[in-house]
């Protein structure tokens, strides 16, 4: 990769920590449990931080996100070295948002003190449920009491910007069970909540077991009730699965939903920079050894970027502003607007001027809506729509006596 010469262009930095104490039953993110690889992995990662820090010297990194896996299971020593290297090798904005994903069982005073010292200012705890039986069923190795203790300890250490992850649609879980978890987590005074519906991925334990999940109608009722509860408690619903107190939206994740530039380091990490995408293989040993690790490097065509922009923006409460869409991609947004207007009356979409967005009911069927909207902009669909409009215009002219 060549050196980037942009001056003060914003960049998000994602660092993948592919270690977990054990694998959760639902998780298909890339991670391993071999602790013997930690030292050599950290060494390889530090080398990449130095290399890409030089290449990206023209950028200003305004968000840093350490995810996994379980970053905190690296321990204070290794995690501290990574954070220190990031601060020393990348040009960080003064107000950079620096997030670390934490699991309750591996978040202790030593780790928290180190993160505070290294400038971490946002923590994301994987809580998932307030019910221990549910946690055990999905393979989590902490209890809710441990989660409460970890969040409390983080507050004692001066962390205020805290996000909690929750899951609904678990096997045997009622809507009331999940809302109790939400209520229990609200008592911990988080600034942000990420609430995800369980999806059974084929290459996971639960995907192979195929447990019975609540049906779609039950999950829809749970989702809408959750949205109401969080709104009543002062949270803004700014993305399908994400809620934040005013001023506490995840700045890093917003980059993904706005097609801003980001760099990902570590096995399975993806990047989007200067109109190109690339990723590292899901193979920690290849990453450590530097063997064929860069994959899928490609120039993203303008039309493909246009479709991706629609897909990610329609996941957010802001939705799509057609004026911005036309300016970005030099296109006529009429086919997209027609696709939206066809959905009016079903309470799935709404608009304010040129901005169109999905309602919370629309979020429930977002994949179908997004596919329909993106498809409306495909060249063959636009040509067909143009012929239909021309045919309709001709028919109107004939009926009016004009040709």
């Amino acid at each position: 990769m060549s050196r980037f010469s942009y001056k003060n262009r914003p960049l998000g930095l994602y660092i993948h920590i592919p270690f977990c104490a054990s694998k959760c039953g639902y998780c298909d993110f890339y991670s391993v449990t071999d602790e013997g690889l930690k030292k050599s992995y950290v060494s390889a990662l530090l080398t990449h931080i130095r290399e890409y820090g030089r290449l990206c010297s023209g950028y200003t990194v305004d968000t840093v996100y350490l995810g996994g896996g379980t970053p905190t299971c690296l321990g204070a020593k290794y995690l501290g070295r990574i954070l220190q290297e990031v601060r020393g090798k990348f040009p960080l904005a003064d107000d950079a948002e620096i997030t670390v994903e934490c699991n309750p069982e591996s978040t202790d005073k030593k780790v928290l003190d180190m993160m505070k010292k290294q400038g971490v200012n946002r923590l994301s705890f994987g809580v998932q449920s307030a019910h221990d039986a549910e946690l055990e069923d999905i393979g989590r190795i902490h209890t809710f009491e441990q989660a409460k203790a970890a969040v409390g300890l983080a507050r004692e250490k001066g962390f205020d910007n805290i996000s909690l992850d929750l899951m609904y649609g678990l096997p045997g879980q009622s809507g009331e069970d999940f809302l109790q978890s939400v209520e229990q987590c609200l008592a911990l005074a988080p600034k942000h909540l990420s609430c995800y519906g369980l999806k059974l991925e084929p290459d996971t334990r639960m995907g192979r077991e195929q447990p019975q999940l609540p049906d779609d109608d039950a999950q829809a009722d749970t989702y809408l009730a959750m949205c109401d509860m969080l709104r009543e408690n002062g949270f803004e619903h700014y993305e399908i699965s994400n809620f934040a107190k005013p001023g506490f939206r995840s700045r890093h994740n917003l980059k993904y939903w706005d097609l801003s530039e980001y760099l990902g380091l570590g096995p399975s990490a993806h990047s989007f920079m200067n109109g190109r995408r690339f990723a590292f293989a899901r193979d920690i040993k290849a990453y450590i050894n530097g063997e064929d690790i860069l994959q899928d490097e490609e120039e993203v065509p303008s039309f493909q970027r246009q479709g991706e922009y629609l897909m990610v923006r329609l996941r957010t409460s802001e939705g799509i502003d057609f004026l911005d869409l036309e300016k970005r991609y030099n296109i006529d947004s009429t086919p997209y607007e027609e696709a939206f207007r066809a959905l009016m009356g079903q309470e799935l979409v709404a608009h304010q001027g040129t901005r169109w967005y999905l309602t919370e009911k629309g979020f429930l069927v977002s994949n179908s809506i997004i596919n329909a909207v993106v498809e409306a902009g495909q060249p063959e669909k636009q040509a067909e729509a143009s012929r239909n409009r021309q045919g309709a215009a001709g028919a109107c002219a004939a009926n009016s006596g004009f040709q």
Side-chain angles (χ1 to χ4, degrees):
M1 178 180 288
S2 60
R3 185 182 182 92
F4 295 99
S5 59
Y6 310 112
K7 185 176 181 181
N8 296 326
R9 193 152 143 181
L11 180 70
L13 175 63
Y14 174 80
I15 295 179
H16 192 64
I17 308 300
F19 294 98
C20 287
S22 65
K23 194 76 173 174
C24 297
Y26 57 86
C27 181
D28 71 337
F29 291 116
Y30 181 71
S31 65
V32 299
T33 57
D34 186 351
E35 293 192 1
L37 295 175
K38 287 182 178 180
K39 182 178 180 179
S40 53
Y41 176 71
V42 170
S43 178
L45 182 60
L46 293 177
T47 297
H48 261 147
I49 290 172
R50 296 180 195 113
E51 290 177 357
Y52 280 88
R54 289 192 297 271
L55 292 172
C56 298
S57 60
Y59 283 91
T60 296
V61 174
D62 57 355
T63 67
V64 179
Y65 195 105
L66 274 67
T70 310
T72 47
C73 83
L74 271 185
K77 178 183 175 181
Y78 286 145
L79 197 56
R81 287 182 63 189
I82 294 168
L83 288 164
Q84 185 175 22
E85 203 70 11
V86 167
R87 297 190 69 83
K89 298 301 186 291
F90 280 92
L92 292 189
D94 291 340
D95 64 344
E97 175 193 85
I98 305 177
T99 304
V100 175
E101 288 184 350
C102 307
N103 270 9
E105 74 281 353
S106 56
T107 303
D108 56 25
K109 292 181 179 179
K110 194 172 182 180
V111 166
L112 289 166
D113 284 337
M114 176 278 301
M115 290 195 291
K116 195 69 177 175
K117 180 180 179 181
Q118 293 299 332
V120 175
N121 50 28
R122 185 174 184 272
L123 303 180
S124 179
F125 282 94
V127 176
Q128 313 310 351
S129 173
H131 303 288
D132 289 349
E134 290 179 352
L135 292 171
E136 184 175 354
D137 285 345
I138 63 176
R140 302 293 290 183
I141 59 174
H142 69 267
T143 65
F144 185 60
E145 283 300 317
Q146 286 178 296
K148 289 197 295 184
V151 172
L153 184 59
R155 292 204 179 283
E156 289 178 17
K157 296 297 181 179
F159 290 95
D160 179 56
N161 191 355
I162 293 175
S163 177
L164 306 179
D165 285 0
L166 283 171
M167 297 182 70
Y168 63 90
L170 303 181
Q173 184 189 60
S174 68
E176 183 179 353
D177 292 335
F178 176 71
L179 293 177
Q180 287 175 356
S181 286
V182 175
E183 191 172 12
Q184 293 262 33
C185 284
L186 287 174
L188 302 179
K191 292 295 193 292
H192 187 283
L193 283 169
S194 295
C195 302
Y196 303 102
L198 173 62
K199 182 180 179 183
L200 296 177
E201 301 291 352
D203 293 330
T204 63
R205 173 180 63 79
M206 294 181 72
R208 291 186 291 272
E209 293 173 353
Q210 288 293 306
Q212 184 70 36
L213 306 182
D215 62 35
D216 290 345
D217 287 341
Q219 291 199 44
D221 290 342
T222 298
Y223 178 83
L224 294 175
M226 168 191 70
C227 293
D228 289 341
M229 177 182 286
L230 293 178
R231 188 182 306 107
E232 291 167 1
N233 281 273
F235 284 80
E236 299 170 341
H237 190 180
Y238 73 101
E239 193 269 345
I240 290 178
S241 303
N242 287 276
F243 306 78
K245 287 295 182 77
F248 288 92
R249 299 182 182 192
S250 170
R251 288 166 49 195
H252 184 82
N253 286 343
L254 285 169
K255 289 182 178 292
Y256 302 141
W257 302 322
D258 194 33
L259 287 193
S260 296
E261 291 183 293
Y262 55 88
L263 170 68
L265 300 179
S268 81
H270 287 69
S271 303
F272 178 57
M273 300 178 69
N274 197 27
R276 301 187 70 84
R277 293 197 184 282
F278 55 93
F280 291 103
R282 290 169 64 100
D283 186 336
I284 187 172
K285 291 183 179 179
Y287 188 87
I288 290 170
N289 296 328
E291 301 170 353
D292 300 323
I293 53 177
L294 201 59
Q295 297 185 336
D296 304 326
E297 184 166 2
E298 62 175 359
E299 183 80 25
V300 183
S302 178
F303 176 73
Q304 184 178 333
R305 272 186 273 174
Q306 174 185 317
E308 291 176 353
Y309 181 74
L310 285 162
M311 284 190 283
V312 292
R313 290 300 301 170
L314 288 176
R315 291 185 57 88
T316 72
S317 61
E318 297 298 320
I320 298 291
D321 189 315
F322 286 137
L323 292 180
D324 178 56
L325 184 68
E326 291 180 346
K327 182 178 178 181
R328 277 180 178 245
Y329 301 106
N330 192 29
I331 61 166
D332 177 10
S333 64
T334 300
Y336 297 119
E337 184 172 357
E338 290 176 349
F340 274 108
R341 290 196 180 279
L343 296 166
M344 292 291 287
Q346 301 178 52
E347 299 184 342
L348 300 177
V349 300
H351 75 103
Q352 293 179 338
T354 59
R355 182 174 71 87
W356 286 78
Y357 55 94
L358 305 192
T359 64
E360 286 176 339
K361 287 185 178 179
F363 280 157
L364 289 169
V365 289
S366 60
N367 288 342
S368 297
I369 296 174
I370 290 170
N371 288 339
V373 172
V374 172
E375 187 179 84
Q378 293 178 353
E380 60 272 20
K381 291 290 183 180
Q382 291 200 36
E384 179 183 345
S386 177
R387 289 193 296 270
N388 291 339
R389 286 195 294 270
Q390 290 172 2
C396 289
N399 291 335
S400 303
F402 294 95
Q403 284 291 352

